[in-house]
Amino acid sequence: MRPLADRPEDVPFVFAERFNSGDPAALADVYEDGAVFVPEPGSPLTGADALAANTEFMHLGVPITVRPRHVYTAGEVALLIVDWVIDGVDRAGRPVHIEGTATDVARRGSRGHWRYIIDNPFGCAPSDRPAQPMPPG
């Protein structure tokens, strides 16, 4: 399995490989503690809830393909704009097609590896919910 990213532009590829492995623990390692995952617009999650939501996508059993569009880095923080698609047949034999353009934020940690601190897979997709700020911590 691919090690954690040493460059911000590699974070999406590390994520995809670990997502496609089907191993939730390997996927969780791509995120910093306290990272935010937004499984649907307007619904940010952290901690165990974020992992459970991400694992739900993974358990479809359909691989993800990623295509980074832009990576902008300022010191230890990077903004990643990534086109992605989950396309195939799930474990129950149903067709699955989910796609989006993510607006993600990654940060370089003390050991030099880049991990997600915000994973917003549907980017600027409209939300039916009013914006809610994340609680501190």
Side-chain angles (χ1 to χ4, degrees):
M1 188 170 313
R2 186 185 291 243
L4 291 174
D6 291 326
R7 305 176 320 154
E9 57 268 26
D10 293 333
V11 176
F13 299 111
V14 172
F15 172 89
E17 183 174 304
R18 289 173 180 231
F19 180 96
N20 293 339
S21 78
D23 180 353
L27 185 63
D29 198 32
V30 180
Y31 294 86
E32 281 193 5
D33 290 340
V36 173
F37 176 61
V38 187
E40 62 181 73
S43 299
L45 302 173
T46 59
D49 293 334
L51 178 59
N54 219 337
T55 300
E56 193 173 312
F57 281 106
M58 181 189 305
H59 282 159
L60 290 170
V62 180
I64 191 169
T65 303
V66 297
R67 196 179 87 239
R69 190 188 300 187
H70 303 287
V71 178
Y72 303 110
T73 305
E76 309 299 310
V77 177
L79 171 66
L80 299 99
I81 309 300
V82 181
D83 296 318
W84 61 272
V85 63
I86 297 173
D87 189 54
V89 177
D90 72 10
R91 293 186 171 121
R94 296 177 301 242
V96 172
H97 183 85
I98 309 168
E99 65 181 302
T101 299
T103 53
D104 298 331
V105 179
R107 179 169 42 208
R108 183 178 16 225
S110 61
R111 296 192 176 167
H113 300 299
W114 290 83
R115 290 184 166 97
Y116 286 127
I117 56 174
I118 300 172
D119 181 2
N120 184 19
F122 295 101
C124 297
S127 171
D128 294 339
R129 301 175 186 195
Q132 298 291 322
M134 287 297 299

